[in-house]
Amino acid sequence: MAKNNRRHGVFAVDQRFADVALNSNEDRRDSLTIEKALNIIFRQMEITGSRPRTIESYSYVFNDFVEHTGLIYVEEINADSIYDYLNDINVAKTTKLLRLKTIKAVLSRFFDNRWVEYKFWKNIQIKIDKQVKPAAKESDIEVLLKLIDRSTFIGFRDTVAILLMYKTGIRIRTLGELRERHIDFDNKMLNLEGAVLKNHDYLKLPIDEQLAEMLQTLILQNAKIRRKYKKRHDYVFITQNGLGINRSDSSSNAISKQLSKYAKLYGLKNINAHAIRRAFAKNLLNKGASVALISKALGHQDLSTTTQYLDLNKEEVANSLRDYL
C-alpha cells in the first residue's frame, strides 16, 4: 500500500521532472572540468610561445581561485564566484588587482575556446590609487655612466646596457634575450622578433653611431669570453663566465643586479631598469614625440599604460595644451 502511495499519492513525482533531473546529471558528467580546461590552454600557450613564468603565474592564481571557491566545472564560474574570491583573500589591493587581471586573462582564453558564452567578468573592477613610479633623471644617468669603470668587461658591458635601455627603451628582460642577429649594423637598427618581447609583437628601434660601435666592441669581447669557457650562443649581454644574463625563473638578471649595486655605491636614487625605460619615454616626450609614437616605441598595447609612464603633472599638460590654442 505504501508503495502504491509513493506512485500515486502526495509523494509522487511527475515522471517528466524525474527524467529532466536525470538528463541534467548526464549533462554535468559531460561538462568540461576546470582542470582539463587549464591543461588545454596552458598547452596552447606553450605552443604559441608564452614564457614559462607567465604560465606558472596563471596556474598559481587560477588554481588558488578554484581552491577557494570549490568550483569544478567551467560552467560554474560566474561573477559572484570571482567577487567571493576577491573578498576572501587577505592581500593588498594591488595584489587583488593583479590576481583579477590573471583570472580575466585565463577566462578570456576560455571564451576564445568557446567554453563560455560571454565575458561576464569584463565589468569587474578593483579601484586603487596607483603610485606612479618616476623616471630616472637624465643627470643621474650621466653621472652613473661617468663613474662606471669601463676598462673592465663588466663595467663596459653595463655601460652599453644602460645606454641601450636609455636610447631604445627596451625592457631588461628583452636586453637579456638580445642576440647578435637582432642588430642590423648596416641600417643602425634593432630588429626585435616577438619571441623576445613582452607583447610578442615585432618591433624595430633605431640606434645611433656611438651605440652601434659600442655594441660591435662588446660582441668582439664576448667572442673571446665564449671561446675561453667553450660556450656556444650569440647573446649580446653575457656574464664574465660566458653565460646568458637572464634566468628563466626571474625577471631579475645580472644587469639589474648591477644597477642596484651602482645605485647604493654611488648614492643615486631611482636607478633601475624600469626607471631608465621611463626616462626614455619622458625624453621622447620632451623632444616633441606624440604619445602614440612613444607607445609604439615602448611596445605598449594600451595608450593608458604609456600615459602612466610619462607621469605628466597638471602644469605640463596645461603648458602643452597652450601650444594648440
Side-chain angles (χ1 to χ4, degrees):
M1 188 67 177
K3 183 177 180 181
N4 193 44
N5 283 340
R6 291 193 192 98
R7 289 181 177 176
H8 304 290
V10 295
F11 298 104
V13 175
D14 190 307
Q15 188 61 39
R16 292 174 300 167
F17 296 111
D19 291 341
V20 168
L22 180 61
N23 290 336
S24 178
N25 288 334
E26 289 175 350
D27 291 341
R28 174 54 56 87
R29 284 196 295 271
D30 293 334
S31 295
L32 179 64
T33 64
I34 296 173
E35 181 181 6
K36 184 176 181 180
L38 289 176
N39 288 335
I40 293 171
I41 69 162
F42 292 156
R43 180 58 181 156
Q44 290 171 342
M45 290 173 70
E46 288 177 2
I47 292 172
T48 55
S50 293
R51 295 182 177 87
R53 286 184 66 251
T54 301
I55 297 174
E56 288 170 9
S57 176
Y58 279 22
S59 177
Y60 172 79
V61 172
F62 210 84
N63 280 311
D64 189 60
F65 163 63
V66 171
E67 183 179 342
H68 269 77
T69 56
L71 301 175
I72 298 175
Y73 299 98
V74 170
E75 65 185 31
E76 295 176 328
I77 305 172
N78 55 32
D80 287 341
S81 62
I82 297 174
Y83 279 120
D84 288 343
Y85 171 69
L86 295 174
N87 185 60
D88 286 345
I89 56 177
N90 185 23
V91 295
K93 277 191 175 182
T94 51
T95 303
K96 285 188 180 185
L97 179 61
L98 290 173
R99 294 196 182 185
L100 175 59
K101 286 182 178 180
T102 300
I103 291 171
K104 285 183 174 184
V106 173
L107 290 177
S108 292
R109 291 179 178 274
F110 284 9
F111 177 81
D112 293 340
N113 282 287
R114 298 185 179 181
W115 299 331
V116 291
E117 294 182 0
Y118 66 98
K119 296 184 176 182
F120 56 82
W121 57 88
K122 189 175 181 180
N123 294 323
I124 301 176
Q125 304 290 340
I126 294 177
K127 293 184 178 180
I128 61 172
D129 295 327
K130 292 185 178 179
Q131 294 182 342
V132 179
K133 298 177 181 178
K137 293 181 180 179
E138 184 176 8
S139 58
D140 285 345
I141 295 175
E142 291 176 353
V143 168
L144 175 59
L145 291 174
K146 288 178 181 178
L147 291 173
I148 295 176
D149 181 6
R150 293 193 293 276
S151 66
T152 66
F153 167 72
I154 295 298
F156 183 73
R157 179 204 66 185
D158 294 349
T159 299
V160 179
I162 292 167
L163 280 172
L164 189 62
M165 288 189 289
Y166 181 57
K167 291 186 176 184
T168 67
I170 64 173
R171 292 180 173 88
I172 189 72
R173 190 77 189 173
T174 301
L175 188 83
E177 296 296 329
L178 195 68
R179 310 286 185 119
E180 292 177 13
R181 68 174 183 272
H182 295 139
I183 307 175
D184 179 356
F185 287 107
D186 292 333
N187 296 300
K188 306 295 185 295
M189 194 77 67
L190 296 185
N191 296 320
L192 303 176
E193 58 202 30
V196 302
L197 295 171
K198 185 176 180 180
N199 65 357
H200 300 285
D201 203 356
Y202 179 77
L203 185 64
K204 297 184 71 171
L205 295 168
I207 57 176
D208 59 25
E209 186 70 34
Q210 177 200 32
L211 192 51
E213 290 180 2
M214 295 181 77
L215 283 166
Q216 287 176 321
T217 302
L218 180 64
I219 288 172
L220 291 175
Q221 188 64 39
N222 289 345
K224 297 177 183 178
I225 294 174
R226 282 198 297 266
R227 281 197 298 270
K228 179 179 179 179
Y229 292 101
K230 298 179 181 179
K231 303 296 181 183
R232 301 184 64 181
H233 58 70
D234 64 342
Y235 287 118
V236 176
F237 293 94
I238 64 175
T239 69
Q240 58 188 353
N241 296 321
L243 302 172
I245 63 171
N246 277 354
R247 292 174 52 194
S248 61
D249 60 343
S250 174
S251 59
S252 176
N253 63 30
I255 301 295
S256 60
K257 290 177 180 178
Q258 283 291 106
L259 288 173
S260 297
K261 187 182 80 172
Y262 292 139
K264 293 177 182 178
L265 181 63
Y266 302 127
L268 298 171
K269 294 182 179 180
N270 202 34
I271 289 293
N272 56 70
H274 202 61
I276 294 173
R277 178 170 156 84
R278 287 176 180 271
F280 161 78
K282 200 68 179 288
N283 188 40
L284 281 182
L285 183 71
N286 292 337
K287 290 181 177 179
S290 68
V291 174
L293 177 61
I294 297 170
S295 185
K296 285 290 185 181
L298 291 170
H300 287 162
Q301 294 180 324
D302 192 336
L303 283 176
S304 64
T305 304
T306 310
T307 57
Q308 290 174 25
Y309 260 64
L310 297 174
D311 187 23
L312 298 177
N313 62 37
K314 292 180 175 59
E315 289 297 324
E316 288 177 301
V317 173
N319 290 333
S320 296
L321 288 174
R322 190 176 298 280
D323 295 335
Y324 296 93
L325 294 178

